[in-house]
Amino acid sequence: MIKINYKFTAILLLIISFNVFAENNIFHIEGKVFVNEQPIDVDYIFKANDKIQTFSNGSIKFTYENSAYSISRNSIFILPDIDEKSLGNLIHGFLIGAFKKGESRKINVRHGLLAIRGTGVAIESSHEHSSVCLCYGDVDLSTDKETIQLSSKIKYHTLVHIDSTGDIYLPDLNSCKYNHGSKDNIELEKMLKNPSPFTKGFAKFLN
């Protein structure tokens, strides 16, 4: 006869549940947010390849696999599959992300590909163009035409645009309002139980 230690089993399940929720929590959800064409609430547990869609009044902030995401309204984002080198695919809309240090991993945008290494980014993707702000850390940004390297060792919040042909250029900041600041990056790092990534004050960007 096999004896089952129910007390040990209960403790083990509790530990497993805690670890799952520690890596996969919804911290904020507002308005209309669908996953795989169905509405969700704060108890939803994300899984690989989930398609997240926010509508005109929707937004969501969550952690998934040691990364933190903030997705704004009118956005479509697909979570990565089980390939650890992927961070997902921003089909349309606006996303801020915080990603753990380590091996380079990739996130797709409509007009390019970002190779990310321990980085905070803000990304906008639309039919006309895509925008990438390296808030801190290091990224390699690649398109069909060119590849550039960005590092916050030079400057926090470096913003570049990618046009529909794949050309990368610096925008005119006087005509460009980007709706995020360092406080948004800090909030995501706190969700991952990390300290502020900035060493030179709050460094608000275009606020």
Side-chain angles (χ1 to χ4, degrees), residues 131-133 155-161 169-178 180 204-207:
S131 300
V132 176
C133 177
K155 178 181 177 294
Y156 291 133
H157 296 295
T158 299
L159 177 64
V160 297
H161 281 188
Y169 63 95
L170 295 174
D172 178 2
L173 295 184
N174 292 323
S175 63
C176 176
K177 263 299 194 191
Y178 218 43
H180 74 284
K204 287 187 179 180
F205 177 60
L206 292 182
N207 285 338

Side-chain angles (χ1 to χ4, degrees), residues 24-35 38-46 50-55 57-63 68-77 79 94-97 187-188 191:
N24 188 358
N25 276 329
I26 294 177
F27 285 78
H28 171 83
I29 188 169
E30 181 177 337
K32 190 175 178 182
V33 179
F34 280 16
V35 172
Q38 298 294 325
I40 63 165
D41 58 26
V42 293
D43 295 321
Y44 183 82
I45 302 299
F46 288 106
D50 271 351
K51 176 186 174 183
I52 303 167
Q53 182 173 10
T54 60
F55 293 82
N57 65 342
S59 63
I60 186 169
K61 298 176 183 178
F62 63 95
T63 56
Y69 300 87
S70 174
I71 302 176
S72 298
R73 61 182 183 151
N74 295 323
S75 299
I76 299 175
F77 179 70
L79 284 173
F94 182 75
L95 173 151
I96 307 173
E187 179 184 23
L188 292 186
M191 287 163 53

